[in-house]
């Protein structure tokens, strides 16, 4: 008796497709929510300062959202390989010498 076997690959493809669809919708929903937040802020405040602030906040939030993969990689690399990062800045402050006229 030979039977047909359903491979997990079909379900894997379906799952990946579903996850990608939900992720894409999430990105679009974030943009829509931020735009609505900006419009509500403008409507409530009736102020140009509030409008500019809300738009700037939206641009920053979207910039961070779009760069999340690069930021994640950078932070992970810095945590996992601290010797490869930028060197620490060291400032040496000497005590003032007597008779130089310094206030400290």
């Amino acid at each position: 008796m030979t039977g047909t076997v359903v491979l997990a690959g079909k379900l894997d493809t379906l799952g990946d497709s579903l996850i990608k669809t939900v992720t894409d919708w999430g990105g679009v929903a974030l943009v829509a929510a931020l735009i609505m937040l900006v419009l509500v802020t403008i409507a409530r405040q009736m102020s140009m300062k509030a409008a500019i602030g809300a738009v700037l906040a939206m641009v920053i939030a979207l910039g961070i959202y779009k760069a999340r993969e690069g930021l994640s990689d950078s932070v992970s690399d810095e945590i996992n390989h601290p010797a490869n990062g930028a060197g620490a800045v060291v400032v040496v402050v000497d005590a003032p010498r007597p008779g130089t006229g310094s206030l400290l």
Side-chain angles (χ1 to χ4, degrees):
M1 174 176 148
T2 61
T4 60
V5 177
V6 177
L7 298 177
K10 301 267 186 192
L11 294 176
D12 185 37
T13 305
L14 176 66
D16 289 345
S17 173
L18 182 63
I19 290 171
K20 182 169 177 7
T21 301
V22 171
T23 305
D24 290 344
W25 287 351
V28 173
L30 175 67
V31 172
L34 286 174
I35 290 172
M36 289 301 298
L37 184 64
V38 167
L39 293 176
V40 167
T41 302
I42 292 170
R44 286 184 59 212
Q45 300 290 328
M46 286 299 180
S47 153
M48 189 54 83
K49 284 183 183 178
I52 292 170
V55 169
L56 286 175
M58 181 181 82
V59 168
I60 291 169
L62 286 175
I64 291 172
Y65 178 74
K66 298 283 184 187
R68 68 189 182 278
E69 295 296 327
L71 290 173
S72 170
D73 293 342
S74 297
V75 170
S76 297
D77 183 56
E78 187 64 31
I79 290 171
N80 295 331
H81 307 99
N84 296 342
V89 176
V90 178
V91 177
V92 178
V93 179
D94 291 333
R97 287 174 273 190
T100 58
S102 62
L103 296 176
L104 295 176

